[in-house]
Amino acid sequence: MSEEGRNAEEVRYRALLDLDVSRPEAREELVTGLHDESWRVRRAAADGLVRLPERGAVVERLIAVLGERDETGARNAAAEALSGMGASAVHPLVHLLGHADPDQRKFAADILGQLALPEAEGALVAVLLEDGDLNVRVAAAEALGRVGGRGAAFALERVLSNPEPLLRLSALESLAALRHPPPLAEVVPLLNNPLLKRSAYRVLGLIERPEVVALVCRGLAASESRSTREAALVALGQHSARMADGGRPAMYAAVGEALRRLLGAVSWVASALESGDIEVKTGALVAAAALREPRLAPLVAEVAQEERLVPEVMRTLACFGPETGRELLASMDRLSLPAREAAGQVLVDMVDPSFVPELVQMLDWGEVDLKGVAARALGRTGALDAVEPLAGFLSIPELAGVAARALVALSAGFRAQVLQALQTSLERGAEPVVLNALVRVGGTSQLPLVRRIAREASVPLRATAVEVLAAVDPSGGLELARVALVDEAPRVRAAAVRVLGQVGDVSLAPLLQRALADDALEVRLAALEAVGECGAVALAADLEALVRHPDGAIAFRAVRSLARLGVLRDEVIQQAVGHEDHEVVKAALLAGAASGGGEALALGLLDHAHWDVRAAAARVLADSREERLLPPLLNALLSETDALARRALVDAVERLSGR
Amino acid sequence: MPFDTGRPEMTAEEFRLLRDFVYAYCGILVRDDMKYVMERRLWPRLEALGLTDFSTYYRYLRFDAQRRSELETAVEALTTHETYFFREPRQLKAFSEEVLPVLERRNARTRRLRIWSAGCSSGEEAYTVAMLLLESGRFEGWDLEVYGTDISRRVLSVARLGEYGPSALRSTSPDKLARYFVHVGPNRVRVRDDIRAMVSFGHHNLRDVDTVPLTSRVDAVFCRNVLIYFDAPARQRVLRLLYDKLVPGGYLMLGHSENLINLSADFELVHLRGDLVYRRPELGGGGGT
């Protein structure tokens, strides 16, 4: 296209984007746009038509465009617009399924498939079984794969024995899309049909019958055809995804035996692991687990780039054994990041003391995530020579946590050495997590050091020292916390307030009241929690005032603390139930339920705007065990569209009706 | 204390709450079939914070004083940042051989070129673009700038450092390795200083249209394998942002498996000899630079 032509196109495109759709002429201007030579303009016109207010009239106009046989671009754009019209397009399109022109009927079926609304199921089933034109029937079969429903599935099963291969193919594909397993006897004859076998194997994978594994293995061992083997792999992946862990060893044994009969099985599985087809990859993972060939391990790990397959990747790698651990370790720095993540996690579970040298070498590599894997794995080796390298990471913020946890794990066998490493690190100003680990390993013997740190160290260490001391020496901790309440750092004051909550009592209410008015939000939030924890009922009025606070964090904690104190009044609960933050509403509902007033609250919340509040209300009603609450629950169920809230309502109905 | 906690399972409700919350923050959609991924990636956060279940973690993200920084950490954990130098060579070749000559002609008067690597992760793509500019030999004495932005602050610090290991170099030929990197350890290289000087990095949430850290419009955007994290409405918002930040006639490079079908007709498809790329048309709304 010339520069001039491109500019003219852009002008027409922009004009349609800026069109005022409320103007009466807008519809025809957009319909004209559907006929534009530029796909961008046609697209803008289709989008504009979807936004028009009079949907019924727009649908009729679009259907008229579908009938313009020589206007391919306009017809496709009209079809695109119709597929955006929702339920208002279903009836006219169902009517179009009866048009004399098969081309129009096919369009109607295609668009109904795009709409994927169950209202079209019956009409599409009728077309699938009765239309005189093969293309229209195929379109109906494909559409039913998106529309779904029991009628659709059974009708698709019926055409599996139709002599037209194209119809059988689309039926198989749609059954696969619906995840509806047809009878095995219908599928077996299709496994040898070159056109149908790939789809036939796909649905074979959905069938829960013991014979399926043997059929899949037969396909895998079919040395003459790569496509048959790949189709069998697809079925294997499908079958495996539904299989309980207990059934896997037998499946792996059968698959391994079949693959070993195949020349070059390892290279073939390797290439399947690198396939662009996710279903082939899924099956290849099962094949790799069956072969347990260490060389395949890095390729298996790379499949983790497809995030949906990560659980299967982990399961597969776990089948391999320690030799694979070394293979993974050797290739770790060349793997992609998702692969490293998956491999690292498996590696951590595989290591033994003999892995220490390689893991120590890995600690020298640059990437933080690799160092993290190595540190975690070293903690699992149970080896003394893992202590020193781990200690080297205690002063690195990104790695201190994982290294400290690894050292705590090693302290089961080497307590003195680990303590020494942690102490040395603290003397050099390590991270707070190291202090935590030290007390975890050393207990009360470390208190002098903790006290010293609490006086002089960095803010994070001071804050941690206050909490750690209270965990091992409550009275000493309380004393230190009172001092820390006037620390200049909010983080330290917040830690002190938490300690007051955990080990204090009602006598500390004045201190907590001051903390509730602290300048720092961090301290106020800690104080809200602490009031409830230590039973400072005297501060109930302060908390009640905060229930109406617009910040959900404050209101939520106020409600919870009042509930914990046992002084949450009905009036305050009502205020909380009206809060904008749904977590505050749920906290009030649960508090109300705990104090015996939950039913009325829950009934009122069954139509709350937020799905999780409705689900929580359903659970509260279910816990009441009152059969008289069934009618409102059933009523709510009728209008519930959210899947999780619906599940909660169904559970509640079942519990209350004794099912 | 955050040790020895058993790994909790994420319930469907916890998944939904966390997913919706993350989505509202940054437009990144964790699909329903990614519950396991979310559970695995966020579990270390529970461990680090000493929390025992995902409901508590959700409330931490909502209500704790550290909620903002923890939310950023959670998003970092949920986005994989997988990238490497000279990724998708076919597109890079087309960019070098067919797009850069056009940009050279267009900008001959100003002798200025701006390229944005949106969702740059740890910097490999932004540095690759800088290397391609240098290698083309077309822009000597020009005012060149490559911007890299990402939502993760952690990866940006890696990007600024410019040091990489074998995984990041798995598509880098030995001659490029010799030309553009210096060895800093047995398994580590650093991008040459003059190339690092061409690239600036900054923190940016692509959902946040008001805080793009770019003062002027750019001549090309690389936004490869980033849209995959978003659902359709969020993708449309991001594309609108990229459109607005491109000069008329500027190029948009997506990942090889990404396209704008059903997302945006704002861009025109350009058929190069070696690849397909998108371009903001010459005329159109949005005003000038």
Side-chain angles (χ1 to χ4, degrees):
Chain A
M1 196 190 294
S2 69
E3 193 74 12
E4 198 179 320
R6 265 210 306 272
N7 287 349
E9 178 209 55
E10 187 63 11
V11 169
R12 297 198 303 280
Y13 174 69
R14 288 286 144 197
L16 283 186
L17 286 190
D18 298 338
L19 190 71
D20 175 5
V21 292
S22 64
R23 283 171 50 232
E25 318 82 81
R27 191 200 317 160
E28 281 315 306
E29 287 176 29
L30 289 164
V31 169
T32 305
L34 289 181
H35 295 76
D36 199 282
E37 62 184 8
S38 152
W39 69 268
R40 296 178 62 229
V41 178
R42 294 198 298 272
R43 173 76 195 283
D47 288 348
L49 283 158
V50 173
R51 293 201 309 273
L52 287 181
E54 292 171 347
R55 297 178 85 79
V58 174
V59 167
E60 289 305 329
R61 189 71 184 85
L62 287 167
I63 285 179
V65 176
L66 287 184
E68 298 173 11
R69 287 200 71 103
D70 298 329
E71 295 282 351
T72 309
R75 295 175 93 193
N76 287 334
E80 191 183 320
L82 279 165
S83 65
M85 299 300 286
S88 55
V90 172
H91 181 71
L93 286 167
V94 165
H95 183 70
L96 192 66
L97 286 174
H99 199 280
D101 179 2
D103 195 40
Q104 300 260 26
R105 300 203 298 277
K106 181 180 179 311
F107 252 124
D110 286 341
I111 301 166
L112 285 168
Q114 292 293 322
L115 285 165
L117 292 168
E119 294 92 313
E121 184 189 356
L124 286 167
V125 166
V127 169
L128 172 69
L129 300 177
E130 293 158 18
D131 199 284
D133 185 276
L134 176 63
N135 287 335
V136 178
R137 295 181 74 187
V138 167
E142 287 167 359
L144 284 167
R146 300 171 68 108
V147 168
R150 286 171 65 84
F154 291 129
L156 291 164
E157 273 184 20
R158 280 178 64 185
V159 297
L160 286 181
S161 52
N162 190 285
E164 281 295 343
L166 202 56
L167 197 56
R168 279 186 289 172
L169 180 65
S170 48
L172 281 170
E173 286 294 316
S174 284
L175 285 166
L178 297 174
R179 306 193 70 74
H180 176 90
L184 185 58
E186 296 282 349
V187 179
V188 170
L190 310 180
L191 294 172
N192 296 320
N193 183 317
L195 179 70
L196 302 176
K197 66 185 174 191
R198 187 172 179 85
S199 304
Y201 270 110
R202 259 182 87 186
V203 295
L204 181 67
L206 297 172
I207 300 171
E208 291 195 52
R209 293 273 296 270
E211 307 94 295
V212 165
V213 173
L215 285 166
V216 168
C217 288
R218 213 169 66 197
L220 284 177
S223 55
E224 82 284 358
S225 160
R226 184 188 177 93
S227 65
T228 303
R229 292 198 306 266
E230 284 196 351
L233 268 191
V234 169
L236 189 59
Q238 297 261 8
H239 192 71
S240 157
R242 284 180 292 98
M243 183 168 262
D245 284 347
R248 283 176 183 274
M251 177 178 68
Y252 290 147
V255 171
E257 198 184 317
L259 284 173
R260 275 187 279 276
R261 287 204 299 270
L262 181 68
L263 203 63
V266 172
S267 358
W268 176 67
V269 172
S271 71
L273 286 167
E274 293 181 302
S275 158
D277 181 333
I278 188 168
E279 292 188 311
V280 171
K281 269 186 176 170
T282 310
L285 286 175
V286 184
L291 285 173
R292 290 180 202 176
E293 165 58 49
R295 278 177 297 155
L296 290 175
L299 290 174
V300 168
E302 285 295 354
V303 177
Q305 290 195 55
E306 190 64 57
E307 294 199 335
R308 276 169 289 182
L309 296 184
V310 170
E312 194 60 41
V313 168
M314 310 286 289
R315 191 185 283 143
T316 305
L317 288 175
C319 289
F320 275 60
E323 271 317 299
T324 305
R326 293 189 194 285
E327 192 76 31
L328 284 175
L329 206 53
S331 56
M332 196 65 117
D333 66 346
R334 294 188 298 278
L335 295 178
S336 68
L337 193 138
R340 285 208 301 262
E341 246 182 4
Q345 210 165 316
V346 173
L347 195 64
V348 168
D349 292 332
M350 276 179 181
V351 293
D352 58 44
S354 69
F355 276 78
V356 170
E358 287 106 320
L359 290 170
V360 169
Q361 199 181 6
M362 199 164 143
L363 284 177
D364 291 334
W365 295 348
E367 275 90 354
V368 169
D369 66 311
L370 283 180
K371 288 180 175 173
V373 168
R376 279 211 316 278
L378 279 168
R380 298 286 294 263
T381 57
L384 175 60
D385 45 354
V387 172
E388 196 187 323
L390 282 170
F393 286 92
L394 293 174
S395 56
I396 300 173
E398 296 92 338
L399 293 165
V402 65
R405 278 189 286 276
L407 283 167
V408 171
L410 288 174
S411 71
F414 316 103
R415 183 171 178 273
Q417 291 87 341
V418 168
L419 270 179
Q420 181 61 51
L422 292 168
Q423 280 167 349
T424 308
S425 172
L426 270 174
E427 297 293 346
R428 294 175 184 159
E431 293 291 305
V433 69
V434 179
L435 179 59
N436 216 327
L438 181 77
V439 177
R440 169 103 176 155
V441 177
T444 51
S445 69
Q446 303 302 313
L447 289 183
L449 179 62
V450 175
R451 285 205 176 86
R452 182 156 59 80
I453 284 170
R455 281 197 301 274
E456 59 193 40
S458 66
V459 167
L461 267 180
R462 278 207 315 276
T464 307
V466 171
E467 291 194 82
V468 162
L469 181 67
V472 286
D473 174 17
S475 68
L478 204 52
E479 193 183 321
L480 183 60
R482 293 176 77 115
V483 176
L485 273 178
V486 292
D487 196 288
E488 69 278 17
R491 186 166 173 181
V492 181
R493 298 203 297 280
V497 169
R498 280 195 289 274
V499 169
L500 296 188
Q502 284 155 17
V503 298
D505 56 33
V506 290
S507 69
L508 299 169
L511 291 177
L512 289 177
Q513 191 168 33
R514 210 175 329 146
L516 279 173
D518 197 285
D519 291 339
L521 176 69
E522 186 175 3
V523 182
R524 291 207 302 277
L525 290 176
L528 276 163
E529 201 81 35
V531 169
E533 259 183 303
C534 74
V537 181
L539 298 179
D542 300 67
L543 297 186
E544 283 184 353
L546 293 170
V547 167
R548 289 187 298 271
H549 199 285
D551 185 340
I554 291 176
F556 176 80
R557 280 183 165 77
V559 170
R560 290 229 305 196
S561 277
L562 283 165
R564 202 158 178 183
L565 292 170
V567 294
L568 187 56
R569 295 185 297 122
D570 289 347
E571 187 191 335
V572 180
I573 289 181
Q574 288 303 333
Q575 286 168 1
V577 162
H579 200 280
E580 271 195 14
D581 192 312
H582 58 102
E583 286 297 325
V584 179
V585 180
K586 278 195 296 185
L589 171 64
L590 296 178
S595 63
E599 286 167 31
L601 269 179
L603 284 172
L605 291 171
L606 279 177
D607 62 351
H608 192 273
H610 216 273
W611 66 269
D612 64 320
V613 175
R614 300 198 297 276
R619 282 194 289 269
V620 166
L621 293 173
D623 288 342
S624 74
R625 298 172 190 275
E626 294 280 354
E627 212 174 319
R628 65 185 166 79
L629 296 172
L630 266 172
L633 278 167
L634 286 166
N635 203 28
L637 193 53
L638 283 176
S639 55
E640 184 58 70
T641 54
D642 182 89
L644 286 181
R646 203 174 160 77
R647 167 98 54 84
L649 284 164
V650 168
D651 288 348
V653 166
E654 287 181 351
R655 281 180 66 190
L656 292 187
S657 54
R659 268 183 274 156
Chain B
M1 279 188 232
F3 294 108
D4 300 336
T5 49
R7 182 176 286 214
E9 201 170 304
M10 186 184 277
T11 66
E13 197 157 324
E14 288 165 344
F15 170 68
R16 176 85 171 278
L17 288 168
L18 283 162
R19 186 192 71 170
D20 290 355
F21 190 56
V22 166
Y23 178 75
Y25 167 61
C26 60
I28 288 173
L29 184 74
V30 183
R31 293 194 314 269
D32 282 348
D33 58 351
M34 300 294 206
K35 176 171 163 283
Y36 174 83
V37 173
M38 187 180 237
E39 187 178 298
R40 192 168 50 89
R41 295 251 171 90
L42 293 185
W43 179 77
R45 296 309 307 154
L46 268 69
E47 192 185 37
L49 295 166
L51 306 177
T52 51
D53 59 67
F54 285 98
S55 289
T56 317
Y57 182 64
Y58 166 70
R59 286 195 289 273
Y60 187 97
L61 285 176
R62 293 282 322 274
F63 299 142
D64 194 85
Q66 312 301 324
R67 53 196 165 190
R68 179 80 190 187
S69 71
E70 182 55 33
L71 185 53
E72 284 188 10
T73 309
V75 170
E76 279 182 12
L78 290 171
T79 47
T80 52
H81 317 301
E82 164 62 359
T83 183
Y84 46 91
F85 285 93
F86 299 99
R87 186 181 192 183
E88 298 183 17
R90 185 183 154 101
Q91 185 181 66
L92 296 177
K93 187 167 186 280
F95 175 73
S96 289
E97 294 177 0
E98 299 182 67
V99 173
L100 286 183
V102 175
L103 296 180
E104 183 192 16
R105 281 196 300 277
R106 283 173 54 99
N107 296 7
R109 191 179 56 77
T110 60
R111 292 170 65 80
R112 192 178 123 122
L113 195 65
R114 299 280 181 267
I115 293 172
W116 179 17
S117 167
C120 70
S121 189
S122 38
E124 289 90 330
E125 179 180 85
Y127 288 129
T128 296
V129 171
M131 289 167 194
L132 293 177
L133 294 181
L134 208 63
E135 197 166 74
S136 74
R138 297 174 179 276
F139 303 105
E140 204 170 323
W142 280 46
D143 174 12
L144 299 177
E145 188 82 56
V146 180
Y147 301 103
T149 63
D150 200 275
I151 193 171
S152 163
R153 294 180 204 275
R154 186 174 71 84
V155 290
L156 286 172
S157 64
V158 177
R160 284 204 177 87
L161 185 65
E163 282 187 18
Y164 301 93
S167 176
L169 300 162
R170 60 188 190 264
S171 267
T172 306
S173 60
D175 64 309
K176 284 192 171 71
L177 194 62
R179 226 177 309 153
Y180 300 124
F181 298 88
V182 287
H183 283 271
V184 291
N187 263 322
R188 304 286 293 166
V189 295
R190 184 189 298 140
V191 177
R192 235 172 55 189
D193 284 349
D194 57 330
I195 292 166
R196 286 173 58 211
M198 289 167 64
V199 185
S200 316
F201 292 102
H203 177 252
H204 179 238
N205 177 351
L206 279 171
R207 189 187 174 89
D208 198 348
V209 292
D210 299 324
T211 60
V212 188
L214 304 175
T215 49
S216 58
R217 286 186 176 173
V218 296
D219 300 288
V221 177
F222 281 79
C223 185
R224 305 193 299 177
N225 308 301
V226 176
L227 294 177
I228 50 172
Y229 289 112
F230 300 102
D231 71 347
R235 281 179 197 180
Q236 283 165 339
R237 280 195 298 276
V238 172
L239 287 166
R240 190 72 219 173
L241 168 69
L242 301 184
Y243 177 90
D244 287 342
K245 290 310 293 182
L246 271 170
V247 297
Y251 290 84
L252 168 65
M253 261 63 67
L254 299 176
H256 72 273
S257 57
E258 299 173 306
N259 61 57
L260 300 186
I261 294 169
N262 295 326
L263 281 176
S264 171
D266 283 349
F267 296 90
E268 56 188 4
L269 192 59
V270 184
H271 293 259
L272 302 175
R273 284 194 308 278
D275 203 2
L276 296 173
V277 297
Y278 289 93
R279 180 168 57 194
R280 175 180 164 153
E282 289 287 352
L283 287 185
T289 306

